[in-house]
Amino acid sequence: MRILGISALYHDSAAAMVENGQVIAAAQEERFTRRKHDSDFPVNSIAYCLEAAGCGLKAVDQVVFYDKPFLKFERLLETYLSFSPKGFKSFQMAIPVWLREKLFQKDLIRDELQAISKNFEWKSRLLFAEHHLSHAASAFFPSPFEEAAVLTMDGVGEWTTTSFAMGKGSELHIAKEIHFPHSLGLLYSAVTYYLGFKVNSGEYKVMGLAPYGEPKYAHTFFDKIIDVRDDGSFWLDQQYFDYCTGLTMVNDHFAKLFGHPVRKPESEDLTQFHMDMAASIQAVTEEVVLKLARNAAKETGAKNLCLAGGVALNCVANGKILREGIFESIWIQPAAGDAGGALGAALAGYYLFGENERTVDPTKQDAMRGSYIGPEFEQDDIERRLTAAGAKFEVLSDSRLYESTAAALADGSAVGWMQGRMEFGPRALGGRSILGDPRSPNMQKLLNLKVKYRESFRPFAPSVLAEDASHWFDLDSESPYMLIVAPVREEHRRAMTEEEEQLFGIDKLNVPRSTIPAVTHVDYSARVQTVHKETNPRYHTLLSAFKQRTGCGMLVNTSFNVRGEPIVCTPEDAFRCFMGTEIEVLVVGNCFLRKEDQDPSLQQDYKDIFELD
């Protein structure tokens, strides 16, 4: 039985294919169109999923959309009526779009599917799952657990912003929900906006900025803005926000409460106030998430927890849940945001609508295959594509490839690494990555300013051999999807001098904190990816080769793109990024490229091609 899941028409459109309960393929539309967070109907992602399944659309038994448009329209109308006449301008802008495009989404989806396959029988095959049910299904059904509590937290689906469910076998039941406008995701996004970052993409920056500040304003949030109960349920005072009916996230009341106006993006320096605000909203988020997790454990008695929704990408909060010992194990859907809703919709179609039995294989980590479920390219195709792009390369044997790449990394080079199937989700996991030496005190600055073209304060993550993780980090569990932050072990830390201890804010950035300074954040933490031979043998072998050369089985790993660009998908994407940045070495399949060997006329000013995120 083949089921195609689709998320589309809001942001982060994607498609996923499930066959007899097995995850076959999934990809986000942005990777094909090269438009970050592309919301268009995912025709390219669907084409890829059908190709990966070796079938046409006619051979698909069900197509499941990840939410219910009529419920969203209901929420839109009820919200505007509740706040009327406030927000009439926003209402004027939104309603025509809904009436023209979104209210009749079933017709739009039907037309798009019939454009792919003219005679596709959509009436009996097109289904709709609620947004948070899709999130919950994406979290529980691929997990390695027979039974688990499930938390989903994001901005908003139809009405739901937070849900608590219980999964057992092939069953999944949502027990409690928190509804719009009370949303932890929207609160975090509101502060993201207030700090001058883009909503739905800048939340990572707030999380990265938080350790530079102190949570001085957390009490203000709790006193004035958010009322949190012991079970984690919460209520937001809407007088401070504009997202219900307006065109911005926060209003003048919010700015007056904290004593500063909204920061203008790209035009103002980040001050200590901005860092303290980031620290404060992070502390608030962690407290709410921990209370929700404790309540889920109390009400279910479950030993395992699954997480999905955009808030589940907050890897600092995830690490806190793990270290609190609330559950024995936690598992986070690597595509926790809306793109992962496509996969959840397909799995809901198979297990919940189709009532099929679920079998958990205890010998495997999970059913996500390491999240390497995107497109891949055969060696001869890679060579043909790179040649057509004008690239100069050597084709090396596997052993020479690993040796040469490890040597380049040890010499301080930034290496573009494209191997095997593309990752599904926002994290590069060694399939489409830029790599560096974590021991280098200059690597973090080099990658941020000369390769990624992004803010200097943003940290980088370590990829570490799974068998070596506990040697470097206070982490006694797997973290294959780079979604858990853990402290660097004490013996690898560097004690700060008295003078360094007096530094504040961004001044802390250039102080080495450990023997692996490129991946150690200012609070001695790291966003860890454990690399497993079973799911990514080539990346594991490269890490082993680097360890043999240096004694360190770890690399800096960041996504293969520049700021504002989707992660590369094809060999041509990788070569363009290579030629537009100061990456010195590119490895695609068994093709090894050095920057000095390339035609200088192919270089371009790459950093200004993409809209800043």
Side-chain angles (χ1 to χ4, degrees):
M1 185 178 190
R2 295 191 185 99
I3 300 181
L4 177 69
I6 296 173
S7 65
L9 308 175
Y10 297 99
H11 57 86
D12 297 324
S13 291
M17 181 70 76
V18 169
E19 187 172 322
N20 296 326
Q22 299 297 309
V23 179
I24 300 299
Q28 204 164 320
E29 188 70 2
E30 67 167 22
R31 307 295 174 87
F32 303 99
T33 64
R34 313 307 300 153
R35 296 194 299 270
K36 194 81 178 265
H37 303 299
D38 194 341
S39 63
D40 287 349
F41 193 82
V43 291
N44 297 286
S45 301
I46 290 171
Y48 158 66
C49 287
L50 293 173
E51 180 184 358
C55 70
L57 189 59
K58 287 183 180 180
V60 173
D61 298 283
Q62 288 179 345
V63 177
V64 187
F65 195 70
Y66 82 129
D67 70 7
K68 294 189 174 183
F70 273 105
L71 284 179
K72 279 198 171 179
F73 186 63
E74 175 190 84
R75 188 245 302 167
L76 182 74
L77 283 179
E78 286 197 23
T79 299
Y80 281 122
L81 288 171
S82 298
F83 284 84
S84 178
K86 181 182 177 184
F88 183 70
K89 183 178 179 182
S90 176
F91 179 80
Q92 277 186 309
M93 295 175 64
I95 288 298
V97 175
W98 268 94
L99 292 177
R100 185 175 67 250
E101 299 174 7
K102 299 189 185 277
L103 183 59
F104 301 104
Q105 271 184 12
K106 189 172 185 178
D107 294 343
L108 186 153
I109 295 167
R110 174 202 64 197
D111 292 345
E112 291 284 1
L113 293 173
Q114 290 187 332
I116 297 170
S117 179
K118 186 175 182 179
N119 297 317
F120 179 70
E121 178 46 58
W122 64 274
K123 288 185 179 180
S124 61
R125 300 190 194 186
L126 179 58
L127 303 173
F128 294 81
E130 286 195 31
H131 186 98
H132 272 257
L133 181 64
S134 295
H135 275 321
S138 79
F140 176 63
F141 290 126
S143 79
F145 309 135
E146 174 66 25
E147 185 175 331
V150 184
L151 277 177
T152 67
M153 303 163 286
D154 66 3
V156 61
E158 295 90 358
W159 277 104
T160 306
T161 67
T162 304
S163 78
F164 152 49
M166 186 65 196
K168 184 175 183 180
S170 57
E171 297 180 356
L172 180 64
H173 301 286
I174 293 181
K176 291 185 177 180
E177 296 178 336
I178 298 172
H179 286 176
F180 182 85
H182 310 292
S183 167
L184 189 60
L186 287 176
L187 175 62
Y188 205 96
S189 291
V191 177
T192 300
Y193 168 84
Y194 182 64
L195 294 178
F197 302 128
K198 188 176 289 187
V199 172
N200 290 328
S201 65
E203 286 79 3
Y204 298 127
K205 301 180 187 182
V206 177
M207 186 173 63
L209 189 63
Y212 293 96
E214 299 292 334
K216 295 179 179 179
Y217 305 100
H219 70 279
T220 305
F221 279 97
F222 288 124
D223 289 345
K224 301 291 186 180
I225 292 177
I226 183 170
D227 178 28
V228 187
R229 304 300 172 89
D230 289 341
D231 65 356
S233 60
F234 54 87
W235 176 89
L236 299 181
D237 189 338
Q238 290 302 304
Q239 71 169 307
Y240 296 102
F241 303 101
D242 207 25
Y243 57 71
C244 282
T245 56
L247 302 174
T248 60
M249 293 298 294
V250 299
N251 57 31
D252 291 341
H253 293 292
F254 191 97
K256 185 178 179 180
L257 178 65
F258 291 104
H260 292 262
V262 174
R263 176 176 169 265
K264 295 178 180 179
E266 311 298 328
S267 62
E268 296 181 12
D269 289 336
L270 288 162
T271 67
Q272 190 62 49
F273 167 75
H274 299 119
M275 299 170 205
D276 292 341
M277 277 295 292
S280 299
I281 189 57
Q282 181 63 34
V284 169
T285 299
E286 290 168 15
E287 181 162 339
V288 175
V289 169
L290 284 171
K291 284 187 174 181
L292 286 166
R294 290 190 191 102
N295 182 67
K298 178 182 177 181
E299 290 204 14
T300 65
K303 297 180 180 179
N304 306 308
L305 175 69
C306 298
L307 297 169
V311 177
L313 294 171
N314 193 305
C315 48
V316 179
N318 296 341
K320 291 283 179 71
I321 296 174
L322 185 66
R323 287 191 295 282
E324 286 275 327
I326 301 168
F327 292 89
E328 290 182 6
S329 301
I330 69 171
W331 190 86
I332 307 139
Q333 166 55 239
D338 273 13
L343 178 59
L347 291 165
Y350 186 76
Y351 290 113
L352 301 180
F353 305 156
E355 298 182 345
N356 292 292
E357 288 298 315
R358 172 173 175 257
T359 302
V360 176
D361 187 346
T363 65
K364 294 183 178 179
Q365 283 183 338
D366 54 52
M368 287 297 293
R369 303 184 180 186
S371 211
Y372 307 108
I373 49 180
E376 64 179 331
F377 299 85
E378 299 295 331
Q379 180 63 30
D380 58 349
D381 191 24
I382 292 170
E383 293 175 26
R384 178 182 62 79
R385 287 167 176 264
L386 288 177
T387 300
K392 308 296 182 186
F393 56 86
E394 293 181 83
V395 178
L396 304 181
S397 66
D398 281 353
S399 59
R400 280 194 61 207
L401 186 83
Y402 298 127
E403 289 174 9
S404 299
T405 307
L409 289 162
D411 287 341
S413 295
V415 174
W417 177 259
M418 176 179 165
Q419 302 289 327
R421 298 185 72 173
M422 184 175 67
E423 305 92 334
F424 184 50
R427 309 296 195 203
L429 302 171
R432 306 289 187 275
S433 293
I434 298 171
L435 307 176
D437 186 346
R439 305 168 303 155
S440 168
N442 302 315
M443 186 57 63
Q444 194 250 12
K445 182 182 288 187
L446 168 72
L447 290 176
N448 266 331
L449 300 182
K450 295 189 175 183
V451 174
K452 300 286 284 187
Y453 302 123
R454 69 184 199 181
E455 299 91 345
S456 63
F457 67 83
R458 294 175 65 179
F460 289 103
S463 289
V464 61
L465 292 168
E467 54 269 33
D468 288 0
S470 60
H471 169 73
W472 294 99
F473 307 102
D474 286 325
L475 181 68
D476 57 3
S477 66
E478 297 173 346
S479 179
Y481 303 124
M482 205 184 285
L483 287 171
I484 292 174
V485 162
V488 174
R489 288 181 65 90
E490 288 283 352
E491 59 265 33
H492 302 295
R493 298 184 185 185
R494 171 189 172 271
M496 298 177 69
T497 65
E498 285 188 24
E499 184 178 355
E500 290 169 343
E501 290 280 5
Q502 303 306 310
L503 296 174
F504 289 94
I506 297 296
D507 292 336
K508 301 175 182 178
L509 176 64
N510 298 318
V511 178
R513 296 303 177 104
S514 73
T515 58
I516 44 172
V519 295
T520 305
H521 207 10
V522 293
D523 58 354
Y524 294 102
S525 70
R527 176 163 44 94
V528 182
Q529 179 201 2
T530 55
V531 179
H532 303 260
K533 188 175 184 179
E534 297 78 13
T535 53
N536 196 334
R538 288 179 75 83
Y539 194 31
H540 190 277
T541 302
L542 175 63
L543 283 161
S544 299
F546 187 75
K547 180 180 180 180
Q548 186 173 11
R549 181 175 288 270
T550 65
C552 178
M554 184 193 313
L555 290 169
V556 179
N557 176 13
T558 188
S559 56
F560 199 158
N561 60 342
V562 298
R563 183 183 173 192
E565 178 191 18
I567 295 174
V568 302
C569 177
T570 67
E572 294 92 332
D573 297 336
F575 183 66
R576 281 193 296 270
C577 191
F578 171 60
M579 293 302 294
T581 63
E582 295 186 42
I583 297 173
E584 293 124 318
V585 171
L586 173 63
V587 186
V588 185
N590 283 70
C591 296
F592 191 88
L593 296 76
R594 297 178 179 85
K595 181 64 68 65
E596 62 266 24
D597 297 337
Q598 308 307 312
D599 181 352
S601 69
L602 296 176
Q603 293 183 348
Q604 55 184 306
D605 185 6
Y606 200 66
K607 66 180 178 180
D608 296 324
I609 292 177
F610 299 96
E611 182 183 354
L612 295 180
D613 62 2

